Amino acid sequence: QIIMDLSVIICTFNRSSILEKTLQSFFDMDWDSVTCYELLVVDNHSGDNTKHIIQSFLQDHPNIIKYVYEEKTGLSHARNKGISQARGKIIAFADDDVDFDERWGQEILHTFSSYPDASCIGGKSKPIFAEGPPDWPKNIDVFYGDTGFGETTQYMEFPKYPFGLNMAFRKEVFSWVGVFNPKLGRCGNSLLSCEETELFYRINKHNLKTLYSHSIVLRHRIPAESTKPTWILDRCYWQGASEVVFD
């Protein structure tokens, strides 16, 4: 089995129209000629034409992209399936609604090389609002994947941790601390979360170091419906429910 420098995992559920743009952005990235990488797209039991979209990229990039199917609904199940099939020494995660900076992949590898004591790394995510940011009384960019850590690379002390749309791990981390807990994380249409909180809680218990890097950049596309008060209130409700389950 070929050992890769980097495995990128994108999990998706019934968002084929969004996914296509994300995959195109991935293949528009710049890579060093010596880098060996793969992209695993985990179809989490979608009912739309997700498989067709992925297969259309497979025709042009058969040695890079891999279609992975996970029947059990839930983001944690999908991520764990990706981990089980990843061949990379580094495993990175991105969401299915992002645009990658052209050097995103190489910056992940460069950062791990520069910080050999870091077991996990989180990147910078910029929300891009389709119809402008929400009209809301205070800053809620955290709900849209913005860690708010700015332009300084720094170690993250729990309870601060990377967000799931832009995070990477040395593969052995999952052997040491385990994988994502399926009792947490998005499942179907629920907004249950905290699966990353729980994972980084265990990572912290193992005294593994986590780094934030401002140079690992992607843009998170936010549709207009996700800026409406009804969505924001729903998101807040599920955040509260998630934290109870985590506790």
Side-chain angles (χ1 to χ4, degrees):
Q1 187 179 16
I2 299 172
I3 302 298
M4 301 280 179
D5 297 309
L6 177 66
S7 295
V8 179
I9 298 173
I10 295 176
C11 302
T12 190
F13 172 67
N14 282 345
R15 301 215 291 182
S16 57
S17 58
I18 292 170
L19 176 66
E20 184 171 18
K21 187 176 181 185
T22 298
L23 297 183
Q24 187 57 60
S25 170
F26 180 89
F27 286 107
D28 287 342
M29 272 195 286
D30 291 336
W31 297 89
D32 295 350
S33 59
V34 296
T35 301
C36 194
Y37 65 97
E38 65 178 353
L39 171 63
L40 293 83
V41 187
V42 185
D43 177 359
N44 193 200
H45 199 53
S46 298
D48 60 3
N49 66 331
T50 289
K51 184 175 183 179
H52 172 76
I53 293 296
I54 299 168
Q55 287 178 330
S56 68
F57 284 89
L58 260 169
Q59 294 176 0
D60 295 330
H61 310 280
N63 297 321
I64 297 175
I65 189 170
K66 181 178 181 181
Y67 174 79
V68 180
Y69 184 76
E70 174 51 60
E71 186 174 19
K72 294 178 185 173
T73 302
L75 178 56
S76 290
H77 284 302
R79 282 176 170 167
N80 292 342
K81 185 63 166 282
I83 292 168
S84 72
Q85 298 200 16
R87 296 176 291 169
K89 291 180 284 187
I90 304 297
I91 298 178
F93 292 89
D95 280 1
D96 60 1
D97 55 0
V98 303
D99 296 324
F100 296 92
D101 184 82
E102 60 185 13
R103 296 290 289 175
W104 179 83
Q106 287 298 152
E107 283 295 334
I108 289 175
L109 294 173
H110 173 71
T111 305
F112 272 112
S113 177
S114 301
Y115 294 86
D117 62 339
S119 294
C120 321
I121 293 176
K124 182 177 183 179
S125 305
K126 302 176 181 178
I128 305 297
F129 296 97
E131 296 183 8
D135 182 15
W136 203 252
K138 62 179 181 178
N139 187 334
I140 54 168
D141 280 357
V142 64
F143 284 161
Y144 302 108
D146 186 351
T147 55
F149 274 81
E151 299 301 322
T152 304
T153 292
Q154 58 194 280
Y155 288 98
M156 305 177 84
E157 297 291 337
F158 191 84
K160 296 175 180 176
Y161 58 88
F163 289 173
L165 77 166
N166 192 4
M167 62 183 180
F169 306 81
R170 298 190 192 274
K171 188 174 188 178
E172 56 266 27
V173 167
F174 299 109
S175 299
W176 295 335
V177 309
V179 292
F180 291 93
N181 189 331
K183 293 179 181 177
L184 291 163
R186 299 285 192 273
C187 188
N189 293 319
S190 91
L191 296 178
L192 194 69
S193 56
C194 277
E195 77 282 4
E196 292 135 23
T197 313
E198 196 271 342
L199 177 65
F200 281 101
Y201 171 82
R202 283 182 274 137
I203 287 170
N204 180 63
K205 285 290 186 185
H206 279 73
N207 296 315
L208 302 178
K209 289 190 176 182
T210 300
L211 186 80
Y212 164 80
S213 171
H214 72 282
S215 60
I216 301 170
V217 181
L218 52 71
R219 292 165 293 284
H220 188 207
R221 304 190 303 271
I222 311 298
E225 58 265 26
S226 294
T227 62
K228 291 180 168 52
T230 49
W231 185 92
I232 294 168
L233 290 169
D234 203 30
R235 177 68 178 81
C236 290
Y237 167 84
W238 280 104
Q239 184 64 33
S242 303
E243 290 176 10
V244 170
V245 176
F246 166 63
D247 287 341

